[in-house]
């Protein structure tokens, strides 16, 4: 009897920067019995990718350096792909737009305001570095504009952003629904010894945008010495810049009062990041109401959503989150909100006293099976 061979649709995922937290679940969920998948990414991701199906993908690898136009030429079979998913085009958007002309591709939008309203500027409080960053953004914006115009599909990571899209943008661009990418992997309930410190983790590269490190430092200063002696604070992100060193100074003063603290001096592997995140007793997310992107001011979580939110979904850890950042309503019971410095101090005190309650149950829509079905149907709908 003659067997019929299944013809798979060919898909390429392109990630030229470091948004591996987005690419990873895509590769975990894609159905390799239905799709033939090629991945164009930095070699550092390939080296850290530890899944059993790693050899079932075709890989186009780049060095972990500044993005080069030649990288685009290295992906030399794009004309044979039924769908291209551009996770991040980085600074070579113009070269990428030329290679993708006439092809069916979906482009992930990371930041709403700078992408669709580039001249909605805010110079209030802008530093010389912000101005330089803004100038660099405008230098590369024509390439992004070409990518936007040529895309068959534009999408965001979370549907919450859709509420912010202006009618003119909706009419002009082919914006589609967000795929369900982020699902619960595990929820570890560690039993601590009576004298073991609570592990409070503050994720993200230590930089001026987005997170209120100064506010966290002041809240920690308001805790008693006995409370500080119960805490190990881990800044889970590279903290090697002059700004990061300045951020750490107030925390260092708390060492004499019993606090212990650790931070990263360089990028760590995704496996190590996951291990630290998974074993945290509390994830601290001190998001500001607004943050600056060069010459744009963005509302955190309404125009762009922190990657930490995705990790909270993935690992199901208890979290203390500022009131400003949206979170899926189905998972809101897994976090505790705080409003301002005094409330942050109060909630930290309650956490250390064992008084905060978190519901870490997994809703059906955040189980792997649901996300797998959703994402693969989303891919089919893009073909």
């Amino acid at each position: 009897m003659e067997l019929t061979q299944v013809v798979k649709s060919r898909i390429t995922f392109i990630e030229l920067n470091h948004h591996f937290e987005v690419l990873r679940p895509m590769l975990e969920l894609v159905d390799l019995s239905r799709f033939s998948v090629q991945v164009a990414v930095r070699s550092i991701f390939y080296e850290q990718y530890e899944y059993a199906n790693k050899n079932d993908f075709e890989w186009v690898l780049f060095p972990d350096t500044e993005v080069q136009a030649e990288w685009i030429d290295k992906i030399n079979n794009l004309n044979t792909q039924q769908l291209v998913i551009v996770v991040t085009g980085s600074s070579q958007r113009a070269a990428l737009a030329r290679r993708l002309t006439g092809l069916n591709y979906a482009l992930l939008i990371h930041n709403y305001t700078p992408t669709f309203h580039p001249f909605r500027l805010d110079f209030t409080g802008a530093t010389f570095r912000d101005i330089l960053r803004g100038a660099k953004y405008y230098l590369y914006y024509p390439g992004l504009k070409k990518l936007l115009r040529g895309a068959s599909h534009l999408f965001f990571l979370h549907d919450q952003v859709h509420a912010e899209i202006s009618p003119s943008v909706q009419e002009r661009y082919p914006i589609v629904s967000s795929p369900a990418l982020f699902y619960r992997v595990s929820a570890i309930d560690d039993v601590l010894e009576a004298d073991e410190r609570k592990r409070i983790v503050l994720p993200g590269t230590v930089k001026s945008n987005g997170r209120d490190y100064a506010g966290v430092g002041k809240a920690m200063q308001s805790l008693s010495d006995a409370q500080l002696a119960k805490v190990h604070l881990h800044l889970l992100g590279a903290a090697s810049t002059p700004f990061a060193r300045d951020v750490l100074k107030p925390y260092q003063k708390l060492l004499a009062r019993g606090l212990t603290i650790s931070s990263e001096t360089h990028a760590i592997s995704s496996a190590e990041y996951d291990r630290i995140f998974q074993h945290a007793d509390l994830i601290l997310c001190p998001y500001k109401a607004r943050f600056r992107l060069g010459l744009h001011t963005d509302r955190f979580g309404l125009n762009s959503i922190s990657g930490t939110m995705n990790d909270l979904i993935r690992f199901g850890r208890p979290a203390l989150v500022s009131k400003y950042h949206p979170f899926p309503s189905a998972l809101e019971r897994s976090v505790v909100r705080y409003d301002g410095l005094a409330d942050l101090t109060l909630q930290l005190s309650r956490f250390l006293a064992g008084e905060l309650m978190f519901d870490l149950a997994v809703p059906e829509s955040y189980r792997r099976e649901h996300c797998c079905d959703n994402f693969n149907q989303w891919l089919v709908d893009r073909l």
Side-chain angles (χ1 to χ4, degrees), residues 322-347:
S322 65
K323 70 172 186 177
Y324 304 113
H325 203 293
F327 200 55
S329 57
L331 293 169
E332 187 67 39
R333 291 180 302 176
S334 67
V335 304
V336 169
R337 300 290 190 168
Y338 72 88
D339 183 6
L341 178 59
D343 195 26
L344 173 57
T345 304
L346 173 63
Q347 300 306 334

PDB file of all heavy atoms in Angstrom, residues 322-347:
ATOM      1  N   SER A 322       3.019  46.881  41.023  1.00  0.00           N
ATOM      2  CA  SER A 322       2.449  48.222  41.134  1.00  0.00           C
ATOM      3  C   SER A 322       1.117  48.278  40.394  1.00  0.00           C
ATOM      4  O   SER A 322       0.864  47.516  39.464  1.00  0.00           O
ATOM      5  CB  SER A 322       3.416  49.259  40.560  1.00  0.00           C
ATOM      6  OG  SER A 322       3.574  49.063  39.163  1.00  0.00           O
ATOM      7  N   LYS A 323       0.273  49.190  40.802  1.00  0.00           N
ATOM      8  CA  LYS A 323      -1.087  49.259  40.262  1.00  0.00           C
ATOM      9  C   LYS A 323      -1.105  49.637  38.779  1.00  0.00           C
ATOM     10  O   LYS A 323      -2.118  49.461  38.110  1.00  0.00           O
ATOM     11  CB  LYS A 323      -1.915  50.268  41.046  1.00  0.00           C
ATOM     12  CG  LYS A 323      -1.504  51.724  40.817  1.00  0.00           C
ATOM     13  CD  LYS A 323      -2.492  52.685  41.467  1.00  0.00           C
ATOM     14  CE  LYS A 323      -2.170  54.132  41.118  1.00  0.00           C
ATOM     15  NZ  LYS A 323      -3.170  55.069  41.683  1.00  0.00           N
ATOM     16  N   TYR A 324       0.023  50.145  38.257  1.00  0.00           N
ATOM     17  CA  TYR A 324       0.016  50.701  36.912  1.00  0.00           C
ATOM     18  C   TYR A 324       0.020  49.652  35.812  1.00  0.00           C
ATOM     19  O   TYR A 324      -0.386  49.930  34.692  1.00  0.00           O
ATOM     20  CB  TYR A 324       1.250  51.609  36.714  1.00  0.00           C
ATOM     21  CG  TYR A 324       1.345  52.701  37.738  1.00  0.00           C
ATOM     22  CD1 TYR A 324       2.374  52.721  38.666  1.00  0.00           C
ATOM     23  CD2 TYR A 324       0.388  53.711  37.788  1.00  0.00           C
ATOM     24  CE1 TYR A 324       2.471  53.724  39.613  1.00  0.00           C
ATOM     25  CE2 TYR A 324       0.468  54.718  38.737  1.00  0.00           C
ATOM     26  CZ  TYR A 324       1.512  54.723  39.640  1.00  0.00           C
ATOM     27  OH  TYR A 324       1.595  55.712  40.576  1.00  0.00           O
ATOM     28  N   HIS A 325       0.519  48.476  36.099  1.00  0.00           N
ATOM     29  CA  HIS A 325       0.740  47.514  35.021  1.00  0.00           C
ATOM     30  C   HIS A 325      -0.426  46.544  34.899  1.00  0.00           C
ATOM     31  O   HIS A 325      -0.809  45.903  35.867  1.00  0.00           O
ATOM     32  CB  HIS A 325       2.026  46.727  35.261  1.00  0.00           C
ATOM     33  CG  HIS A 325       2.593  46.141  34.008  1.00  0.00           C
ATOM     34  ND1 HIS A 325       1.971  45.148  33.302  1.00  0.00           N
ATOM     35  CD2 HIS A 325       3.720  46.428  33.321  1.00  0.00           C
ATOM     36  CE1 HIS A 325       2.698  44.838  32.243  1.00  0.00           C
ATOM     37  NE2 HIS A 325       3.751  45.609  32.226  1.00  0.00           N
ATOM     38  N   PRO A 326      -1.008  46.417  33.685  1.00  0.00           N
ATOM     39  CA  PRO A 326      -2.126  45.477  33.515  1.00  0.00           C
ATOM     40  C   PRO A 326      -1.647  44.035  33.588  1.00  0.00           C
ATOM     41  O   PRO A 326      -0.475  43.725  33.350  1.00  0.00           O
ATOM     42  CB  PRO A 326      -2.645  45.803  32.111  1.00  0.00           C
ATOM     43  CG  PRO A 326      -1.463  46.343  31.390  1.00  0.00           C
ATOM     44  CD  PRO A 326      -0.664  47.095  32.416  1.00  0.00           C
ATOM     45  N   PHE A 327      -2.565  43.177  33.935  1.00  0.00           N
ATOM     46  CA  PHE A 327      -2.282  41.754  34.020  1.00  0.00           C
ATOM     47  C   PHE A 327      -3.559  41.049  33.595  1.00  0.00           C
ATOM     48  O   PHE A 327      -4.655  41.569  33.818  1.00  0.00           O
ATOM     49  CB  PHE A 327      -1.897  41.378  35.462  1.00  0.00           C
ATOM     50  CG  PHE A 327      -1.153  40.084  35.601  1.00  0.00           C
ATOM     51  CD1 PHE A 327       0.019  39.867  34.891  1.00  0.00           C
ATOM     52  CD2 PHE A 327      -1.614  39.083  36.439  1.00  0.00           C
ATOM     53  CE1 PHE A 327       0.721  38.679  35.018  1.00  0.00           C
ATOM     54  CE2 PHE A 327      -0.925  37.888  36.575  1.00  0.00           C
ATOM     55  CZ  PHE A 327       0.244  37.691  35.857  1.00  0.00           C
ATOM     56  N   PRO A 328      -3.460  39.891  32.933  1.00  0.00           N
ATOM     57  CA  PRO A 328      -4.685  39.214  32.499  1.00  0.00           C
ATOM     58  C   PRO A 328      -5.666  39.036  33.654  1.00  0.00           C
ATOM     59  O   PRO A 328      -5.291  38.586  34.738  1.00  0.00           O
ATOM     60  CB  PRO A 328      -4.162  37.867  31.988  1.00  0.00           C
ATOM     61  CG  PRO A 328      -2.757  38.150  31.549  1.00  0.00           C
ATOM     62  CD  PRO A 328      -2.242  39.170  32.528  1.00  0.00           C
ATOM     63  N   SER A 329      -6.916  39.398  33.417  1.00  0.00           N
ATOM     64  CA  SER A 329      -7.906  39.371  34.490  1.00  0.00           C
ATOM     65  C   SER A 329      -8.053  37.980  35.102  1.00  0.00           C
ATOM     66  O   SER A 329      -8.296  37.852  36.305  1.00  0.00           O
ATOM     67  CB  SER A 329      -9.258  39.858  33.964  1.00  0.00           C
ATOM     68  OG  SER A 329      -9.680  39.074  32.855  1.00  0.00           O
ATOM     69  N   ALA A 330      -7.876  36.942  34.280  1.00  0.00           N
ATOM     70  CA  ALA A 330      -8.022  35.574  34.782  1.00  0.00           C
ATOM     71  C   ALA A 330      -6.931  35.206  35.780  1.00  0.00           C
ATOM     72  O   ALA A 330      -7.074  34.247  36.535  1.00  0.00           O
ATOM     73  CB  ALA A 330      -8.015  34.582  33.609  1.00  0.00           C
ATOM     74  N   LEU A 331      -5.821  35.971  35.781  1.00  0.00           N
ATOM     75  CA  LEU A 331      -4.695  35.666  36.658  1.00  0.00           C
ATOM     76  C   LEU A 331      -4.486  36.734  37.732  1.00  0.00           C
ATOM     77  O   LEU A 331      -3.500  36.682  38.469  1.00  0.00           O
ATOM     78  CB  LEU A 331      -3.416  35.518  35.833  1.00  0.00           C
ATOM     79  CG  LEU A 331      -3.374  34.317  34.883  1.00  0.00           C
ATOM     80  CD1 LEU A 331      -2.185  34.428  33.943  1.00  0.00           C
ATOM     81  CD2 LEU A 331      -3.289  33.024  35.660  1.00  0.00           C
ATOM     82  N   GLU A 332      -5.384  37.696  37.799  1.00  0.00           N
ATOM     83  CA  GLU A 332      -5.202  38.817  38.725  1.00  0.00           C
ATOM     84  C   GLU A 332      -5.096  38.344  40.172  1.00  0.00           C
ATOM     85  O   GLU A 332      -4.397  38.953  40.994  1.00  0.00           O
ATOM     86  CB  GLU A 332      -6.365  39.798  38.581  1.00  0.00           C
ATOM     87  CG  GLU A 332      -6.196  41.087  39.360  1.00  0.00           C
ATOM     88  CD  GLU A 332      -5.064  41.966  38.845  1.00  0.00           C
ATOM     89  OE1 GLU A 332      -4.880  42.048  37.612  1.00  0.00           O
ATOM     90  OE2 GLU A 332      -4.353  42.560  39.692  1.00  0.00           O
ATOM     91  N   ARG A 333      -5.737  37.227  40.516  1.00  0.00           N
ATOM     92  CA  ARG A 333      -5.691  36.740  41.901  1.00  0.00           C
ATOM     93  C   ARG A 333      -4.330  36.176  42.283  1.00  0.00           C
ATOM     94  O   ARG A 333      -4.072  35.915  43.456  1.00  0.00           O
ATOM     95  CB  ARG A 333      -6.766  35.672  42.108  1.00  0.00           C
ATOM     96  CG  ARG A 333      -8.199  36.216  42.074  1.00  0.00           C
ATOM     97  CD  ARG A 333      -9.213  35.120  42.277  1.00  0.00           C
ATOM     98  NE  ARG A 333      -9.094  34.069  41.262  1.00  0.00           N
ATOM     99  CZ  ARG A 333      -9.811  32.951  41.252  1.00  0.00           C
ATOM    100  NH1 ARG A 333     -10.688  32.723  42.217  1.00  0.00           N
ATOM    101  NH2 ARG A 333      -9.656  32.063  40.284  1.00  0.00           N
ATOM    102  N   SER A 334      -3.441  35.996  41.297  1.00  0.00           N
ATOM    103  CA  SER A 334      -2.114  35.462  41.604  1.00  0.00           C
ATOM    104  C   SER A 334      -1.122  36.565  41.965  1.00  0.00           C
ATOM    105  O   SER A 334       0.021  36.280  42.304  1.00  0.00           O
ATOM    106  CB  SER A 334      -1.576  34.654  40.418  1.00  0.00           C
ATOM    107  OG  SER A 334      -1.319  35.497  39.307  1.00  0.00           O
ATOM    108  N   VAL A 335      -1.564  37.836  41.878  1.00  0.00           N
ATOM    109  CA  VAL A 335      -0.688  38.951  42.248  1.00  0.00           C
ATOM    110  C   VAL A 335      -1.378  39.805  43.295  1.00  0.00           C
ATOM    111  O   VAL A 335      -2.599  39.787  43.443  1.00  0.00           O
ATOM    112  CB  VAL A 335      -0.321  39.815  41.014  1.00  0.00           C
ATOM    113  CG1 VAL A 335       0.312  38.968  39.927  1.00  0.00           C
ATOM    114  CG2 VAL A 335      -1.527  40.565  40.468  1.00  0.00           C
ATOM    115  N   VAL A 336      -0.572  40.559  44.032  1.00  0.00           N
ATOM    116  CA  VAL A 336      -1.085  41.564  44.965  1.00  0.00           C
ATOM    117  C   VAL A 336      -0.617  42.916  44.464  1.00  0.00           C
ATOM    118  O   VAL A 336       0.565  43.094  44.124  1.00  0.00           O
ATOM    119  CB  VAL A 336      -0.581  41.311  46.407  1.00  0.00           C
ATOM    120  CG1 VAL A 336      -0.890  42.498  47.309  1.00  0.00           C
ATOM    121  CG2 VAL A 336      -1.209  40.041  46.969  1.00  0.00           C
ATOM    122  N   ARG A 337      -1.532  43.868  44.399  1.00  0.00           N
ATOM    123  CA  ARG A 337      -1.212  45.208  43.918  1.00  0.00           C
ATOM    124  C   ARG A 337      -0.786  46.117  45.071  1.00  0.00           C
ATOM    125  O   ARG A 337      -1.224  45.936  46.219  1.00  0.00           O
ATOM    126  CB  ARG A 337      -2.434  45.827  43.234  1.00  0.00           C
ATOM    127  CG  ARG A 337      -2.945  45.046  42.037  1.00  0.00           C
ATOM    128  CD  ARG A 337      -1.991  45.140  40.888  1.00  0.00           C
ATOM    129  NE  ARG A 337      -2.578  44.601  39.654  1.00  0.00           N
ATOM    130  CZ  ARG A 337      -2.044  44.776  38.462  1.00  0.00           C
ATOM    131  NH1 ARG A 337      -0.929  45.459  38.332  1.00  0.00           N
ATOM    132  NH2 ARG A 337      -2.615  44.252  37.398  1.00  0.00           N
ATOM    133  N   TYR A 338       0.050  47.116  44.749  1.00  0.00           N
ATOM    134  CA  TYR A 338       0.347  48.150  45.731  1.00  0.00           C
ATOM    135  C   TYR A 338       0.264  49.513  45.057  1.00  0.00           C
ATOM    136  O   TYR A 338       0.447  49.631  43.842  1.00  0.00           O
ATOM    137  CB  TYR A 338       1.721  47.938  46.380  1.00  0.00           C
ATOM    138  CG  TYR A 338       2.896  48.225  45.478  1.00  0.00           C
ATOM    139  CD1 TYR A 338       3.441  49.504  45.386  1.00  0.00           C
ATOM    140  CD2 TYR A 338       3.480  47.218  44.718  1.00  0.00           C
ATOM    141  CE1 TYR A 338       4.527  49.773  44.561  1.00  0.00           C
ATOM    142  CE2 TYR A 338       4.565  47.470  43.886  1.00  0.00           C
ATOM    143  CZ  TYR A 338       5.084  48.750  43.816  1.00  0.00           C
ATOM    144  OH  TYR A 338       6.139  49.012  42.996  1.00  0.00           O
ATOM    145  N   ASP A 339      -0.026  50.531  45.851  1.00  0.00           N
ATOM    146  CA  ASP A 339      -0.215  51.884  45.333  1.00  0.00           C
ATOM    147  C   ASP A 339       0.650  52.854  46.126  1.00  0.00           C
ATOM    148  O   ASP A 339       0.262  53.324  47.197  1.00  0.00           O
ATOM    149  CB  ASP A 339      -1.700  52.270  45.437  1.00  0.00           C
ATOM    150  CG  ASP A 339      -1.985  53.647  44.834  1.00  0.00           C
ATOM    151  OD1 ASP A 339      -1.064  54.239  44.254  1.00  0.00           O
ATOM    152  OD2 ASP A 339      -3.136  54.114  44.952  1.00  0.00           O
ATOM    153  N   GLY A 340       1.847  53.122  45.628  1.00  0.00           N
ATOM    154  CA  GLY A 340       2.723  54.088  46.269  1.00  0.00           C
ATOM    155  C   GLY A 340       3.691  53.467  47.263  1.00  0.00           C
ATOM    156  O   GLY A 340       3.616  52.282  47.608  1.00  0.00           O
ATOM    157  N   LEU A 341       4.612  54.299  47.718  1.00  0.00           N
ATOM    158  CA  LEU A 341       5.719  53.848  48.570  1.00  0.00           C
ATOM    159  C   LEU A 341       5.240  53.284  49.901  1.00  0.00           C
ATOM    160  O   LEU A 341       5.678  52.218  50.334  1.00  0.00           O
ATOM    161  CB  LEU A 341       6.677  55.017  48.804  1.00  0.00           C
ATOM    162  CG  LEU A 341       7.871  54.757  49.720  1.00  0.00           C
ATOM    163  CD1 LEU A 341       8.734  53.630  49.168  1.00  0.00           C
ATOM    164  CD2 LEU A 341       8.700  56.031  49.868  1.00  0.00           C
ATOM    165  N   ALA A 342       4.319  53.989  50.566  1.00  0.00           N
ATOM    166  CA  ALA A 342       3.851  53.520  51.877  1.00  0.00           C
ATOM    167  C   ALA A 342       3.158  52.169  51.756  1.00  0.00           C
ATOM    168  O   ALA A 342       3.351  51.287  52.599  1.00  0.00           O
ATOM    169  CB  ALA A 342       2.900  54.557  52.485  1.00  0.00           C
ATOM    170  N   ASP A 343       2.383  52.001  50.676  1.00  0.00           N
ATOM    171  CA  ASP A 343       1.675  50.737  50.488  1.00  0.00           C
ATOM    172  C   ASP A 343       2.651  49.608  50.144  1.00  0.00           C
ATOM    173  O   ASP A 343       2.461  48.471  50.561  1.00  0.00           O
ATOM    174  CB  ASP A 343       0.625  50.883  49.385  1.00  0.00           C
ATOM    175  CG  ASP A 343      -0.384  49.747  49.385  1.00  0.00           C
ATOM    176  OD1 ASP A 343      -0.600  49.153  50.463  1.00  0.00           O
ATOM    177  OD2 ASP A 343      -0.939  49.451  48.325  1.00  0.00           O
ATOM    178  N   LEU A 344       3.698  49.933  49.390  1.00  0.00           N
ATOM    179  CA  LEU A 344       4.714  48.916  49.090  1.00  0.00           C
ATOM    180  C   LEU A 344       5.365  48.429  50.377  1.00  0.00           C
ATOM    181  O   LEU A 344       5.554  47.219  50.580  1.00  0.00           O
ATOM    182  CB  LEU A 344       5.770  49.492  48.141  1.00  0.00           C
ATOM    183  CG  LEU A 344       6.991  48.596  47.861  1.00  0.00           C
ATOM    184  CD1 LEU A 344       6.570  47.247  47.295  1.00  0.00           C
ATOM    185  CD2 LEU A 344       7.963  49.301  46.915  1.00  0.00           C
ATOM    186  N   THR A 345       5.721  49.352  51.264  1.00  0.00           N
ATOM    187  CA  THR A 345       6.318  48.972  52.547  1.00  0.00           C
ATOM    188  C   THR A 345       5.360  48.091  53.346  1.00  0.00           C
ATOM    189  O   THR A 345       5.764  47.073  53.929  1.00  0.00           O
ATOM    190  CB  THR A 345       6.665  50.229  53.363  1.00  0.00           C
ATOM    191  OG1 THR A 345       7.530  51.074  52.598  1.00  0.00           O
ATOM    192  CG2 THR A 345       7.360  49.846  54.660  1.00  0.00           C
ATOM    193  N   LEU A 346       4.082  48.481  53.353  1.00  0.00           N
ATOM    194  CA  LEU A 346       3.072  47.710  54.087  1.00  0.00           C
ATOM    195  C   LEU A 346       2.941  46.303  53.527  1.00  0.00           C
ATOM    196  O   LEU A 346       2.924  45.315  54.280  1.00  0.00           O
ATOM    197  CB  LEU A 346       1.727  48.428  54.023  1.00  0.00           C
ATOM    198  CG  LEU A 346       0.516  47.659  54.594  1.00  0.00           C
ATOM    199  CD1 LEU A 346       0.717  47.402  56.084  1.00  0.00           C
ATOM    200  CD2 LEU A 346      -0.775  48.421  54.326  1.00  0.00           C
ATOM    201  N   GLN A 347       2.876  46.182  52.196  1.00  0.00           N
ATOM    202  CA  GLN A 347       2.686  44.857  51.586  1.00  0.00           C
ATOM    203  C   GLN A 347       3.923  43.978  51.770  1.00  0.00           C
ATOM    204  O   GLN A 347       3.794  42.759  51.948  1.00  0.00           O
ATOM    205  CB  GLN A 347       2.349  44.999  50.094  1.00  0.00           C
ATOM    206  CG  GLN A 347       1.079  45.786  49.801  1.00  0.00           C
ATOM    207  CD  GLN A 347      -0.144  45.243  50.539  1.00  0.00           C
ATOM    208  OE1 GLN A 347      -0.225  44.062  50.896  1.00  0.00           O
ATOM    209  NE2 GLN A 347      -1.118  46.117  50.779  1.00  0.00           N
TER     210      GLN A 347
END
